Structure formats: structure tokens, C-alpha cells
Amino acid sequence: MAGLAASGSNPDVDLLYDINGLAKDAPPWFDRVMEFVGEYGLLLAIVLLVLWCWWSVRRRGDQDAASSVAALVWAPLAAGIAVLVNVPIRGFVERPRPFLDHQGLEVLVSGKTDYSFVSDHATIVMAMAVGLFVANRRFGLVALVLAVFGGFIRVYMGVHYPTDVVGGFALGTAVALLLSPVAMALLTPVARAVERSPRVGWLVRARGRGVGGDGSDAVLPGARSERGGASERDLAA
């Protein structure tokens, strides 16, 4: 490829051309699908996973419902905080979009004029995925797979370098995990207060649901799993 010659020995740029080259060989309808999925679809899918997990938690109504709901609230909050943290990072690095510095890329989305490092999309989806994993392993693993795929699509679309995506993954993960103890300390009492409310308690526990469920998928600090009368503690990573 002509682009590879321009990339020199930079593996980041070489990988960009290799992945983006797939878009050149794909039919136009497939590129349009990838464009939609990369811009909106995967983020929407992870949001739906968070809502599905919340619905499952409130229907199960176990003794740790408030903690689980607090963790689910933290997932989108972590994404928002991570994006705010990224603002000074992007301004400091000032890395142009790859299609501004390299010729021959198949750019599926036009009009991107902001800086490239780190990727906001990768930051958001990974922060939400890690936050969801803290609340529930099964839902979180699905979200993590979607987040990684989303990062791949950003490079496929020609709007980010691979290192932009890796940086976004690292930033989203760091914010979601490092601030999780503080977030849980603040959000759990709020969720418990909501749970006790006769008007909005259904947001945490479905009406008529008592304490139950095994909570075996929770990875929250202090989440308990009951099997055969024995209680286990499954601490978050």
C-alpha cells in the first residue's frame, strides 16, 4: 500500500493502515453498518446491558440490591468523569486525527476536527463496561467484549490510531476502578435511602420482593453469595 510507505517504521501507523485497509475491501453497505455501530450502536448496546442488569437486580430483590444498583449508577458516571479527565489530556497531547497526517485512509466519518488522543468513544465504552463488570460478571464480560470491538471499529473507520484506542481503554478502566470505592461509599447510602422510599423504592427493588437470590455474579465489596446456608464474600478486584 502507498500508505504503508508513508508510515515508515511506526507500528502504530502500520497497524492503522492494516485495519483501515479492511474498510477499502469491504462493500459500501458493510462500511455504513460499521459506521453506525462505531458511532452509536455499541454505546447503545452497553447502555442497554446496564439497563438489563438493573432490571434483573431489582426483580431479584436480594439483600445487596442497593449496592448493585449503586454500582450500576456508577458505570455511566465513571464514563462521564473519564471524558472530563480526557479534556486536558487531549489539549496537552494535541495529536491530529490520522487522516490529517496520512494519505490514503478510508475515512468513514467526515467532519472530525478535534484531537485524536485519547479516543472519547473508547474511553466511554470501556469505563461503562468496567463499571458494569464491577456490578455483575456476566453482563460485564459481554460489555467488555463489545468495548474492545468498538475500539477496533474506531481504527477501522480511520478516525483513530490504535494507540488512541488503547489510551482510551486505559483511561476508562483507571477511572472506573480507582474511583469505585469512593463512588460506592457515596452512592450506596443514596440507593438504600431510595430503596426505603414507598414512592421510588421500585427503582432498587421490585415491589413484593424480599431478600433473596444468590448474588453469585456480583463482584462488589461486601456482596454476599448464599449457597447451602453458607455465606461467601466476593471482593471486587
Side-chain angles (χ1 to χ4, degrees), residues 95-185:
R95 187 184 203 181
R97 294 281 181 168
F99 53 81
L100 297 177
D101 288 339
H102 304 283
Q103 300 298 318
L105 291 173
E106 185 76 9
V107 183
L108 302 188
V109 179
S110 60
K112 299 284 185 181
T113 58
D114 54 341
Y115 293 124
S116 186
F117 185 90
V118 297
S119 167
D120 275 340
H121 274 79
T123 300
I124 291 171
V125 295
M126 186 55 72
M128 291 192 66
V130 172
L132 182 54
F133 183 80
V134 169
N136 185 282
R137 284 191 183 96
R138 287 182 297 178
F139 285 95
L141 283 175
V142 175
L144 288 171
V145 172
L146 292 177
V148 171
F149 182 56
F152 172 85
I153 294 180
R154 301 304 291 176
V155 181
Y156 178 95
M157 294 165 61
V159 295
H160 280 293
Y161 295 94
T163 49
D164 297 338
V165 171
V166 173
F169 287 167
L171 177 59
T173 300
V175 170
L177 290 182
L178 295 179
L179 298 184
S180 178
V182 176
M184 292 302 299

Side-chain angles (χ1 to χ4, degrees), residues 74-87 120 123-124 127-128 175:
W74 169 237
L77 289 178
I81 293 174
V83 169
L84 291 178
V85 172
N86 190 28
V87 172
D120 275 340
T123 300
I124 291 171
M128 291 192 66
V175 170

Side-chain angles (χ1 to χ4, degrees), residues 32-47 109 112 121 125 153-154 157:
R32 287 195 294 270
V33 171
M34 293 290 275
E35 175 189 344
F36 174 80
V37 172
E39 284 287 287
Y40 312 106
L42 286 176
L43 178 57
L44 177 60
I46 294 177
V47 169
V109 179
K112 299 284 185 181
H121 274 79
V125 295
I153 294 180
R154 301 304 291 176
M157 294 165 61

